[in-house]
Amino acid sequence: MNRKNWVSALAIGVTFAASAAAATTLKVAAITPEGSVWSQQAVDFMNKVRETGADIEFEFFPNGQLGNQPDTLKGMLSGRVDIWIGAMPFLAAVTPEVTLFTMPYAFDSIDEVKCVVPRMKAPTAELAGNKYKLLAVAPVGVQDIAAAEPIQSPADLAGQKVRVAPLPSTMAFFGSVGATAQPLPGAETASALQTGLVEAVDLAPAFLVVTGSHQIARYHTPTNHNYNVGAYAISMRTWAKLDDAQKAALIKVGDEMDFAQQVDDLVAFDRQMLAKGAADGMETVTLSAEDNDAWRQAGLAVWDKVLADMPGDISAFRATFDAAKSDCK
């Protein structure tokens, strides 16, 4: 190679290296099992951001590699984690108004979830203020009950220790039917069942099987008492370091996520996991119309007390939520 060509090649190499160095790498934390539909949806989000050419790369840490949801949420708020992917129940610790999403029987159907939740993204983002930046809302799925013995009605839970998320709404719901609520991370559910710390669990059906909890809590009761909503949130410290093109790319991809399709994907994933659970010996309890009504009434009965004790402007957020539900009728 002559000197002229060598200098040209060197210049190209330096330019490429500088371009690669210019890319911002964001650390993304999630507890979702690797290969699950939740993790795949997160990967799809990251790939679409890359495709914008905004010089953003990602380091993805699924499976709770960086800690549980409360710990990684704190990490996101402090800037040690750039993007937190988690469930609204944990985000309620920072933005209490989103507790509304966690109330039992907040939604009447899957179709209502598909319509209402995207309409609530902007009001939810406003609540974040300067605590974090909400990039996207995402479905997590229905919450059901599973136990070592069949649970047919709310009365069957009386005296039982139930694994729940650390939420006032969930704890009030199970407490109202005579159960003892045990707040635990979802990843610790299987071990808690093995040691007898809990006898029943409040979990998404797919997560019940993915964690292996179904091998002990082998009776699945499809109460559908909660539709769990998730969030993609970025640290404000990270946000301040991004340029306009990078911010625009993250916002654009977050806004364009197909929430309804993601819900359908989760429904299919639940069916797949329940079939796997059934192959392992798990049984699904059949609920009558009267059983379903009893569960629903037990859930709705705790609303006034829970929301009355909530900090923040829960009444205004509820009015917006109710308006969205009305628009979706």
Side-chain angles (χ1 to χ4, degrees):
M1 181 183 293
N2 62 38
R3 185 176 186 279
K4 182 178 179 181
N5 289 341
W6 181 83
V7 171
S8 296
L10 179 61
I12 291 171
V14 170
T15 301
F16 177 81
S19 175
T24 300
T25 300
L26 302 182
K27 185 183 297 183
V28 182
I31 67 155
T32 54
E34 193 169 6
S36 68
V37 65
W38 302 288
S39 284
Q40 186 55 56
Q41 289 173 352
V43 170
D44 289 344
F45 170 84
M46 290 180 275
N47 285 339
K48 288 176 181 177
V49 173
R50 290 187 182 101
E51 289 168 7
T52 67
D55 286 330
I56 296 177
E57 279 298 330
F58 299 93
E59 286 184 290
F60 184 38
F61 297 91
N63 281 329
Q65 293 177 49
L66 299 183
N68 59 31
Q69 290 190 81
D71 288 343
T72 52
L73 175 61
K74 291 175 185 175
M76 182 273 290
L77 295 172
S78 68
R80 289 183 290 106
V81 170
D82 298 306
I83 295 178
W84 177 84
I85 299 177
M88 287 287 185
F90 297 94
L91 205 58
V94 184
T95 315
E97 292 90 344
V98 303
T99 296
L100 191 62
F101 289 116
T102 75
M103 296 300 295
Y105 300 99
F107 300 99
D108 297 328
S109 67
I110 291 293
D111 285 339
E112 188 175 74
V113 170
K114 292 179 184 179
C115 181
V116 171
V117 175
R119 291 168 184 255
M120 293 300 296
K121 181 188 173 184
T124 303
E126 289 180 14
L127 293 174
N130 61 0
K131 299 172 186 174
Y132 58 88
K133 180 79 173 177
L134 181 68
L135 297 176
V137 290
V140 177
V142 296
Q143 296 281 116
D144 285 340
I145 293 167
E149 300 293 334
I151 301 295
Q152 192 82 32
S153 71
D156 293 336
L157 277 179
Q160 294 213 34
K161 296 172 289 186
V162 184
R163 176 273 160 192
V164 301
L167 290 169
S169 54
T170 304
M171 295 180 73
F173 173 44
F174 285 100
S176 73
V177 300
T180 300
Q182 296 279 3
L184 287 171
E188 297 178 15
T189 301
S191 60
L193 284 164
Q194 288 174 339
T195 61
L197 179 62
V198 298
E199 302 155 285
V201 300
D202 165 33
L203 272 183
F207 209 75
L208 176 72
V209 178
V210 166
T211 59
S213 301
H214 69 293
Q215 295 174 351
I216 300 173
R218 57 186 296 266
Y219 291 96
H220 162 238
T221 304
T223 52
N224 296 333
H225 55 272
N226 176 252
Y227 194 92
N228 209 350
V229 179
Y232 289 38
I234 188 168
S235 168
M236 292 304 290
R237 292 189 179 186
T238 301
W239 190 251
K241 298 174 184 177
L242 301 179
D243 62 34
D244 290 344
Q246 292 169 328
K247 291 177 180 178
L250 289 165
I251 291 172
K252 178 178 183 293
V253 174
D255 287 345
E256 291 178 352
M257 287 176 70
D258 191 338
F259 183 86
Q261 182 58 57
Q262 289 182 322
V263 171
D264 289 342
D265 291 342
L266 279 174
V267 169
F269 185 60
D270 274 342
R271 288 176 183 157
Q272 178 186 347
M273 289 297 100
L274 286 173
K276 181 179 184 302
D280 290 341
M282 186 177 73
E283 298 182 31
T284 294
V285 176
T286 300
L287 298 179
S288 67
E290 291 77 12
D291 292 330
N292 281 315
D293 186 62
W295 284 108
R296 183 174 180 82
Q297 294 308 315
L300 296 177
V302 304
W303 273 61
D304 289 344
K305 182 180 185 305
V306 172
L307 295 183
D309 294 336
M310 282 294 104
D313 193 356
I314 193 72
S315 59
F317 194 63
R318 184 175 184 180
T320 304
F321 184 78
D322 289 343
K325 291 189 69 172
S326 179
D327 289 343
C328 290
K329 295 297 185 186

PDB file of all heavy atoms in Angstrom, residues 12 19 81 94 106 114 119 137 144 154 171 229 234 257 280 288 326:
ATOM      1  N   ILE A  12     -10.168   6.731   7.237  1.00  0.00           N
ATOM      2  CA  ILE A  12     -11.450   6.029   7.291  1.00  0.00           C
ATOM      3  C   ILE A  12     -11.585   5.290   8.618  1.00  0.00           C
ATOM      4  O   ILE A  12     -12.630   5.311   9.274  1.00  0.00           O
ATOM      5  CB  ILE A  12     -11.580   5.053   6.106  1.00  0.00           C
ATOM      6  CG1 ILE A  12     -11.715   5.842   4.802  1.00  0.00           C
ATOM      7  CG2 ILE A  12     -12.785   4.123   6.288  1.00  0.00           C
ATOM      8  CD1 ILE A  12     -11.627   4.974   3.553  1.00  0.00           C
ATOM      9  N   SER A  19     -17.039   7.403  15.132  1.00  0.00           N
ATOM     10  CA  SER A  19     -18.482   7.218  15.025  1.00  0.00           C
ATOM     11  C   SER A  19     -18.959   6.187  16.037  1.00  0.00           C
ATOM     12  O   SER A  19     -19.972   6.366  16.712  1.00  0.00           O
ATOM     13  CB  SER A  19     -18.844   6.775  13.612  1.00  0.00           C
ATOM     14  OG  SER A  19     -20.210   6.490  13.502  1.00  0.00           O
ATOM     15  N   VAL A  81     -28.812   2.886  36.726  1.00  0.00           N
ATOM     16  CA  VAL A  81     -29.471   2.147  35.654  1.00  0.00           C
ATOM     17  C   VAL A  81     -30.087   3.188  34.730  1.00  0.00           C
ATOM     18  O   VAL A  81     -30.693   4.155  35.200  1.00  0.00           O
ATOM     19  CB  VAL A  81     -30.562   1.206  36.205  1.00  0.00           C
ATOM     20  CG1 VAL A  81     -31.413   0.632  35.076  1.00  0.00           C
ATOM     21  CG2 VAL A  81     -29.944   0.092  37.040  1.00  0.00           C
ATOM     22  N   VAL A  94     -43.058   5.630  43.571  1.00  0.00           N
ATOM     23  CA  VAL A  94     -42.553   6.941  43.183  1.00  0.00           C
ATOM     24  C   VAL A  94     -43.684   7.839  42.693  1.00  0.00           C
ATOM     25  O   VAL A  94     -43.702   9.039  42.953  1.00  0.00           O
ATOM     26  CB  VAL A  94     -41.502   6.803  42.049  1.00  0.00           C
ATOM     27  CG1 VAL A  94     -40.887   8.155  41.710  1.00  0.00           C
ATOM     28  CG2 VAL A  94     -40.427   5.808  42.439  1.00  0.00           C
ATOM     29  N   ALA A 106     -59.947  -3.285  37.886  1.00  0.00           N
ATOM     30  CA  ALA A 106     -59.946  -1.935  37.317  1.00  0.00           C
ATOM     31  C   ALA A 106     -60.434  -1.952  35.869  1.00  0.00           C
ATOM     32  O   ALA A 106     -60.961  -0.951  35.376  1.00  0.00           O
ATOM     33  CB  ALA A 106     -58.543  -1.336  37.388  1.00  0.00           C
ATOM     34  N   LYS A 114     -56.837  -2.859  26.137  1.00  0.00           N
ATOM     35  CA  LYS A 114     -56.202  -2.425  24.892  1.00  0.00           C
ATOM     36  C   LYS A 114     -56.532  -0.979  24.552  1.00  0.00           C
ATOM     37  O   LYS A 114     -55.706  -0.249  23.994  1.00  0.00           O
ATOM     38  CB  LYS A 114     -56.650  -3.320  23.737  1.00  0.00           C
ATOM     39  CG  LYS A 114     -56.159  -4.740  23.789  1.00  0.00           C
ATOM     40  CD  LYS A 114     -56.723  -5.495  22.569  1.00  0.00           C
ATOM     41  CE  LYS A 114     -56.363  -6.949  22.573  1.00  0.00           C
ATOM     42  NZ  LYS A 114     -56.944  -7.655  21.400  1.00  0.00           N
ATOM     43  N   ARG A 119     -54.384   5.354  26.134  1.00  0.00           N
ATOM     44  CA  ARG A 119     -54.922   6.694  26.371  1.00  0.00           C
ATOM     45  C   ARG A 119     -54.405   7.288  27.683  1.00  0.00           C
ATOM     46  O   ARG A 119     -54.424   8.507  27.865  1.00  0.00           O
ATOM     47  CB  ARG A 119     -56.453   6.649  26.418  1.00  0.00           C
ATOM     48  CG  ARG A 119     -57.109   6.343  25.073  1.00  0.00           C
ATOM     49  CD  ARG A 119     -58.589   6.028  25.247  1.00  0.00           C
ATOM     50  NE  ARG A 119     -59.194   5.638  23.982  1.00  0.00           N
ATOM     51  CZ  ARG A 119     -60.001   6.404  23.255  1.00  0.00           C
ATOM     52  NH1 ARG A 119     -60.305   7.619  23.697  1.00  0.00           N
ATOM     53  NH2 ARG A 119     -60.502   5.970  22.125  1.00  0.00           N
ATOM     54  N   VAL A 137     -45.682   2.535  27.809  1.00  0.00           N
ATOM     55  CA  VAL A 137     -46.452   1.630  28.663  1.00  0.00           C
ATOM     56  C   VAL A 137     -46.481   0.278  27.960  1.00  0.00           C
ATOM     57  O   VAL A 137     -46.433   0.202  26.733  1.00  0.00           O
ATOM     58  CB  VAL A 137     -47.880   2.144  28.925  1.00  0.00           C
ATOM     59  CG1 VAL A 137     -47.853   3.359  29.825  1.00  0.00           C
ATOM     60  CG2 VAL A 137     -48.603   2.464  27.615  1.00  0.00           C
ATOM     61  N   ASP A 144     -53.668 -13.959  38.444  1.00  0.00           N
ATOM     62  CA  ASP A 144     -54.563 -15.010  38.915  1.00  0.00           C
ATOM     63  C   ASP A 144     -54.060 -15.525  40.260  1.00  0.00           C
ATOM     64  O   ASP A 144     -53.049 -15.049  40.791  1.00  0.00           O
ATOM     65  CB  ASP A 144     -54.607 -16.159  37.904  1.00  0.00           C
ATOM     66  CG  ASP A 144     -55.418 -15.829  36.660  1.00  0.00           C
ATOM     67  OD1 ASP A 144     -56.239 -14.896  36.715  1.00  0.00           O
ATOM     68  OD2 ASP A 144     -55.223 -16.509  35.631  1.00  0.00           O
ATOM     69  N   PRO A 154     -63.632 -16.643  47.222  1.00  0.00           N
ATOM     70  CA  PRO A 154     -62.800 -15.849  48.141  1.00  0.00           C
ATOM     71  C   PRO A 154     -62.708 -16.455  49.539  1.00  0.00           C
ATOM     72  O   PRO A 154     -61.657 -16.390  50.186  1.00  0.00           O
ATOM     73  CB  PRO A 154     -63.517 -14.494  48.162  1.00  0.00           C
ATOM     74  CG  PRO A 154     -64.199 -14.405  46.832  1.00  0.00           C
ATOM     75  CD  PRO A 154     -64.639 -15.807  46.530  1.00  0.00           C
ATOM     76  N   MET A 171     -52.747  -6.017  48.992  1.00  0.00           N
ATOM     77  CA  MET A 171     -52.781  -6.478  50.378  1.00  0.00           C
ATOM     78  C   MET A 171     -54.170  -6.279  50.985  1.00  0.00           C
ATOM     79  O   MET A 171     -54.661  -7.127  51.742  1.00  0.00           O
ATOM     80  CB  MET A 171     -51.706  -5.758  51.185  1.00  0.00           C
ATOM     81  CG  MET A 171     -50.294  -6.099  50.717  1.00  0.00           C
ATOM     82  SD  MET A 171     -48.982  -5.268  51.627  1.00  0.00           S
ATOM     83  CE  MET A 171     -49.040  -6.169  53.171  1.00  0.00           C
ATOM     84  N   VAL A 229     -50.034  -3.658  34.379  1.00  0.00           N
ATOM     85  CA  VAL A 229     -49.466  -2.807  33.336  1.00  0.00           C
ATOM     86  C   VAL A 229     -48.018  -2.491  33.682  1.00  0.00           C
ATOM     87  O   VAL A 229     -47.674  -2.313  34.857  1.00  0.00           O
ATOM     88  CB  VAL A 229     -50.273  -1.501  33.203  1.00  0.00           C
ATOM     89  CG1 VAL A 229     -49.678  -0.580  32.142  1.00  0.00           C
ATOM     90  CG2 VAL A 229     -51.730  -1.823  32.867  1.00  0.00           C
ATOM     91  N   ILE A 234     -36.910   5.981  31.818  1.00  0.00           N
ATOM     92  CA  ILE A 234     -35.493   6.318  31.703  1.00  0.00           C
ATOM     93  C   ILE A 234     -35.118   7.338  32.780  1.00  0.00           C
ATOM     94  O   ILE A 234     -35.907   8.229  33.121  1.00  0.00           O
ATOM     95  CB  ILE A 234     -35.160   6.855  30.292  1.00  0.00           C
ATOM     96  CG1 ILE A 234     -33.647   7.030  30.118  1.00  0.00           C
ATOM     97  CG2 ILE A 234     -35.904   8.139  29.990  1.00  0.00           C
ATOM     98  CD1 ILE A 234     -33.225   7.284  28.666  1.00  0.00           C
ATOM     99  N   MET A 257     -45.016   1.838  19.850  1.00  0.00           N
ATOM    100  CA  MET A 257     -45.197   0.458  20.307  1.00  0.00           C
ATOM    101  C   MET A 257     -46.674   0.071  20.176  1.00  0.00           C
ATOM    102  O   MET A 257     -47.558   0.817  20.593  1.00  0.00           O
ATOM    103  CB  MET A 257     -44.713   0.302  21.748  1.00  0.00           C
ATOM    104  CG  MET A 257     -43.201   0.322  21.890  1.00  0.00           C
ATOM    105  SD  MET A 257     -42.626   0.242  23.613  1.00  0.00           S
ATOM    106  CE  MET A 257     -43.070  -1.444  24.043  1.00  0.00           C
ATOM    107  N   ASP A 280     -47.447 -30.648  33.052  1.00  0.00           N
ATOM    108  CA  ASP A 280     -46.699 -30.960  34.280  1.00  0.00           C
ATOM    109  C   ASP A 280     -47.623 -31.370  35.426  1.00  0.00           C
ATOM    110  O   ASP A 280     -47.154 -31.625  36.541  1.00  0.00           O
ATOM    111  CB  ASP A 280     -45.884 -29.750  34.726  1.00  0.00           C
ATOM    112  CG  ASP A 280     -44.729 -29.444  33.799  1.00  0.00           C
ATOM    113  OD1 ASP A 280     -44.328 -30.342  33.034  1.00  0.00           O
ATOM    114  OD2 ASP A 280     -44.218 -28.305  33.831  1.00  0.00           O
ATOM    115  N   SER A 288     -67.726 -20.715  38.316  1.00  0.00           N
ATOM    116  CA  SER A 288     -69.079 -20.441  37.848  1.00  0.00           C
ATOM    117  C   SER A 288     -69.291 -18.938  37.752  1.00  0.00           C
ATOM    118  O   SER A 288     -68.458 -18.142  38.224  1.00  0.00           O
ATOM    119  CB  SER A 288     -70.102 -21.034  38.819  1.00  0.00           C
ATOM    120  OG  SER A 288     -70.044 -20.334  40.068  1.00  0.00           O
ATOM    121  N   SER A 326     -64.898   5.416  29.678  1.00  0.00           N
ATOM    122  CA  SER A 326     -66.152   5.807  29.054  1.00  0.00           C
ATOM    123  C   SER A 326     -65.983   5.951  27.533  1.00  0.00           C
ATOM    124  O   SER A 326     -66.845   5.504  26.755  1.00  0.00           O
ATOM    125  CB  SER A 326     -66.630   7.132  29.649  1.00  0.00           C
ATOM    126  OG  SER A 326     -67.836   7.556  29.041  1.00  0.00           O
TER     127      SER A 326
END
